Amino acid sequence: MDNINNIRNFCIIAHIDHGKSTLADRLLEKTNTIQITNGQMLDDMDLEKERGITIKSHAIQMEYRLEGERYVLNLIDTPGHVDFSYEVSRSIAACEGALLVVDATQGVQAQTISNLYMAIDHDLEIIPVINKIDMPSAMPDEVEDEIIDLIGCERSDIIRASGRTGEGVEDILKAVVNRVPHPEGDEKAPLQALIFDSVFNSFRGIIAYFKIENGIIRKGDKVKFFNTGMEYTADEVGVLKMDMIPRQELGTGEVGYIISGIKDAKEVKVGDTITQVNNPCAKAIAGFQEVKPMVFAGVYPIDPNDYENLRASLEKLQLNDASLTFSPESSVALGFGFRCGFLGLLHMEIVQERLDREFNMDVITTVPNVSYMVYDKQGGEKEVHNPSGLPEQTLIDHIEEPYIRATIITDANFIGPIMKLCLDKRGELINQEYVSGNRVELHFMLPLGEIVIDFYDKLKSISKGYASFDYHVDGFRPSKLAKLDILLNGEPVDALSTLTHADNAVTFGRRMCEKLKDLIPRQQFDIAIQAAIGAKIVARETVKCVRKDVTAKCYGGDVSRKRKLLEKQKKGKKRMKQIGNVEVPQKAFLAVLKLD
């Protein structure tokens, strides 16, 4: 068991692509924890390597010697994308210090600021680091000024480093030892350990990662999870290096894992407290909230027989990704499936990819939407995640939709197009301020429903990738919404119906009909594609039928012979239309997301 005064728990927070995973690899190399062979060691998921982003938090222990003393450093690498801020909040809860990594070529960006505030709320010791100083386009002096404006530190506190060349890595390790406080806690008190992550292993069940706040955990102890009340035996406890290393016992302040043969995903709640059965702690560790999904979409198996497999896959995925929520639902067009809640669009895309890769599940995802509050004329209220769950139009008094407060940090040259984009999305500007030099921070109130589909992509393209975006939810507001239905040959396709603002509904319906016309394959009969708001049809397109030239064999002769053949064909087409059904391809569901 390690001496509590020589333990340091810290995490790395930064915006996307500021080089935190590369820097983490250098720290591991410098402390001889691993020999790096193939780049990113911590981002071990294929998806993370391909996209170059961190999706999961990773915990790893390093040993470092300074002036003859041996220190144990527990590093938790965190994602930087706005969709994964929940992962970051859990990592911060298990630390006493944070490295604030800022890219020397890009400066402070929106996500950095929001994660920094989260760390300051938890009283973490902040160590500012400027990364990528070896780049030709680096501007370390300007970035130092920005950091000093942001956290009010001394210029000498800022460490200049490069994850690629390894410069400044030794200084970072010394700063962690000298500036991050050691964990506080009482070894003699009852056991209190915070679960900050969990993973699923098909051989060993669920492995929970924890940080001990008070007390000691030993192999073979009877332990209890506070919120669920379930009791287990600690079959194995240990520390996390590149592999899991078993130990007989772990003391206060240490970060480790526990294997207790748990098979059911619902029994492990991230943020729960582990304690002992015979000497439990008085209360759970505070400050942990249930995650709130922002975007909802239906996920359906392509083959209806895969419904149970999809449930099992989602449960296993949920262990590894605590921010995913799901509940069963059914649709006329697609059969049985699940309504899933995601933190954002990137999160939704990643979940879809992981279902495909890790569990071989082919799924159809419906148009994403947000949750609305519907008030009826009797004064009752109801939360609706799905347009098909709306009551009749005549019963609704008003609908409220969620609004967000968005922070956009951008180069001053792009203010015009960004303002236009936000105002087109029904946003309102609250204020704007110059951060430093040529950079502006804009604050907008925007409806969440407008940003879920393509806002982030558009923002990046009009600002040439420079603008950074971060948001948090800011309550509900009444709004004029209309339900837009898509009908194929008069039959509504519930998976394509959307809730949209009344002013945009007609143009949106028209664009959807045009798009579907290109995507729905031609049948032997005409297909009418209509967009309707209530009983009123606002747009129509027709997919013409494929037809055989039945008059080809009539050369010359009386016109009545041609007429007779055409009439016969017309009857056949009419009969076919009554019994034929229209298959909507998966591409059509996805195309609705990329309408522009």
Side-chain angles (χ1 to χ4, degrees), residues 41-323:
M41 291 303 292
L42 286 180
D43 291 351
D44 49 7
M45 208 188 295
D46 290 345
L47 260 177
E48 293 182 312
K49 286 185 175 150
E50 276 168 33
R51 290 172 176 244
I53 56 176
T54 307
I55 295 169
K56 285 289 300 160
S57 298
H58 296 269
I60 189 160
Q61 188 181 83
M62 308 179 277
E63 288 178 15
Y64 180 60
R65 288 198 169 277
L66 184 64
E67 295 158 9
E69 279 274 340
R70 175 177 161 277
Y71 292 93
V72 171
L73 313 180
N74 290 309
L75 158 69
I76 300 176
D77 178 30
T78 61
H81 194 280
V82 57
D83 279 7
F84 302 114
S85 53
Y86 181 66
E87 290 275 327
V88 181
S89 74
R90 299 187 339 216
S91 309
I92 286 176
C95 294
E96 281 84 34
L99 296 181
L100 175 73
V101 176
V102 180
D103 188 331
T105 60
Q106 298 187 14
V108 174
Q109 293 189 292
Q111 189 60 37
T112 317
I113 295 179
S114 96
N115 288 345
L116 172 70
Y117 288 155
M118 220 185 312
I120 291 174
D121 284 347
H122 279 81
D123 294 334
L124 265 58
E125 176 64 37
I126 308 289
I127 301 177
V129 176
I130 298 182
N131 194 16
K132 302 192 188 179
I133 55 163
D134 59 315
M135 300 279 276
S137 57
M139 3 168 244
D141 298 338
E142 289 93 325
V143 177
E144 267 187 12
D145 295 338
E146 285 183 28
I147 294 176
I148 292 168
D149 282 350
L150 185 67
I151 55 177
C153 61
E154 297 298 316
R155 197 171 282 278
S156 57
D157 291 347
I158 301 173
I159 300 171
R160 294 189 179 189
S162 161
R164 196 168 65 183
T165 61
E167 184 184 340
V169 173
E170 191 70 44
D171 301 339
I172 295 175
L173 288 166
K174 283 181 184 154
V176 168
V177 169
N178 295 329
R179 283 152 62 177
V180 174
H182 62 77
E184 299 289 336
D186 180 2
E187 291 217 329
K188 303 199 170 40
L191 173 69
Q192 234 189 352
L194 170 76
I195 300 180
F196 66 86
D197 204 354
S198 62
V199 292
F200 178 77
N201 180 315
S202 46
F203 303 108
R204 316 207 55 180
I206 291 159
I207 303 169
Y209 297 167
F210 60 81
K211 176 203 172 190
I212 301 179
E213 299 280 341
N214 293 307
I216 296 177
I217 189 168
R218 297 181 178 83
K219 185 179 171 176
D221 275 358
K222 284 266 186 230
V223 293
K224 173 173 126 174
F225 286 16
F226 211 92
N227 289 343
T228 56
M230 307 293 268
E231 298 183 0
Y232 309 99
T233 305
D235 299 332
E236 185 183 305
V237 294
V239 294
L240 297 152
K241 299 215 170 170
M242 263 339 263
D243 296 312
M244 297 186 291
I245 296 174
R247 292 275 167 92
Q248 283 305 311
E249 60 177 31
L250 291 176
T252 304
E254 293 198 75
V255 172
Y257 69 90
I258 175 169
I259 298 177
S260 50
I262 308 170
K263 291 285 184 283
D264 186 6
K266 294 191 183 60
E267 295 174 24
V268 180
K269 282 261 190 291
V270 168
D272 205 344
T273 303
I274 307 177
T275 185
Q276 271 153 345
V277 174
N278 46 16
N279 180 13
C281 56
K283 62 182 201 308
I285 298 166
F288 229 86
Q289 74 279 11
E290 284 278 313
V291 56
K292 281 195 72 109
M294 295 292 148
V295 179
F296 295 89
V299 173
Y300 294 87
I302 287 183
D303 177 2
N305 301 332
D306 282 343
Y307 176 72
E308 281 305 322
N309 295 351
L310 180 60
R311 179 196 294 275
S313 309
L314 282 168
E315 279 177 358
K316 285 176 187 162
L317 198 56
Q318 196 176 28
L319 279 178
N320 204 324
D321 178 352
S323 42

Side-chain angles (χ1 to χ4, degrees), residues 47 51 55 81 83-84 294-299 314 317 321 323-324 339-356 363-370 452-453 471 586 589-590 592-594:
L47 260 177
R51 290 172 176 244
I55 295 169
H81 194 280
D83 279 7
F84 302 114
M294 295 292 148
V295 179
F296 295 89
V299 173
L314 282 168
L317 198 56
D321 178 352
S323 42
L324 170 70
R339 188 97 203 140
C340 296
F342 307 97
L343 295 180
L345 271 202
L346 177 72
H347 185 208
M348 175 173 140
E349 214 175 297
I350 297 288
V351 167
Q352 238 175 307
E353 280 273 299
R354 288 182 69 184
L355 279 173
D356 182 31
V363 293
I364 292 179
T365 314
T366 63
V367 186
N369 59 352
V370 297
V452 293
I453 294 188
Y471 65 88
Q586 164 80 30
F589 292 110
L590 297 178
V592 181
L593 311 187
K594 305 185 174 73

Side-chain angles (χ1 to χ4, degrees), residues 341-510:
F342 307 97
L343 295 180
L345 271 202
L346 177 72
H347 185 208
M348 175 173 140
E349 214 175 297
I350 297 288
V351 167
Q352 238 175 307
E353 280 273 299
R354 288 182 69 184
L355 279 173
D356 182 31
R357 291 183 182 200
E358 295 169 28
F359 304 100
N360 277 330
M361 292 301 307
D362 282 338
V363 293
I364 292 179
T365 314
T366 63
V367 186
N369 59 352
V370 297
S371 55
Y372 297 95
M373 294 305 278
V374 179
Y375 294 87
D376 58 27
K377 293 186 172 158
Q378 278 75 43
E381 59 175 87
K382 175 183 175 190
E383 191 173 358
V384 175
H385 301 310
N386 190 350
S388 61
L390 272 186
E392 283 298 310
Q393 199 67 41
T394 48
L395 304 175
I396 298 175
D397 183 50
H398 67 279
I399 302 178
E400 292 190 351
E401 64 175 337
Y403 264 71
I404 58 165
R405 193 187 171 99
T407 308
I408 297 171
I409 297 184
T410 172
D411 210 290
N413 309 334
F414 304 117
I415 291 186
I418 288 176
M419 288 264 203
K420 181 178 182 313
L421 172 71
C422 293
L423 296 173
D424 286 350
K425 297 278 186 191
R426 301 190 283 131
E428 45 192 90
L429 179 67
I430 304 170
N431 65 348
Q432 70 179 64
E433 49 195 272
Y434 280 81
V435 188
S436 68
N438 195 23
R439 299 180 47 172
V440 189
E441 188 173 340
L442 304 167
H443 294 272
F444 278 96
M445 286 299 277
L446 283 157
L448 181 61
E450 292 281 344
I451 69 155
V452 293
I453 294 188
D454 54 2
F455 179 80
Y456 196 65
D457 301 349
K458 282 185 180 168
L459 180 70
K460 282 291 184 202
S461 54
I462 59 179
S463 66
K464 301 196 171 66
Y466 278 115
S468 60
F469 169 72
D470 183 53
Y471 65 88
H472 51 261
V473 178
D474 194 278
F476 284 77
R477 293 191 187 181
S479 141
K480 210 169 85 191
L481 295 166
K483 181 184 173 195
L484 184 77
D485 287 314
I486 299 291
L487 313 175
L488 295 182
N489 280 346
E491 290 291 317
V493 181
D494 55 355
L496 288 174
S497 60
T498 46
L499 268 177
T500 170
H501 195 262
D503 300 346
N504 310 341
V506 177
T507 48
F508 187 67
R510 199 167 291 144

Side-chain angles (χ1 to χ4, degrees), residues 546-563:
V546 192
R547 52 183 289 242
K548 182 179 165 192
D549 188 359
V550 287
T551 58
K553 60 184 184 194
C554 303
Y555 44 92
D558 190 15
V559 73
S560 59
R561 289 176 63 200
K562 290 184 180 173
R563 270 271 67 81

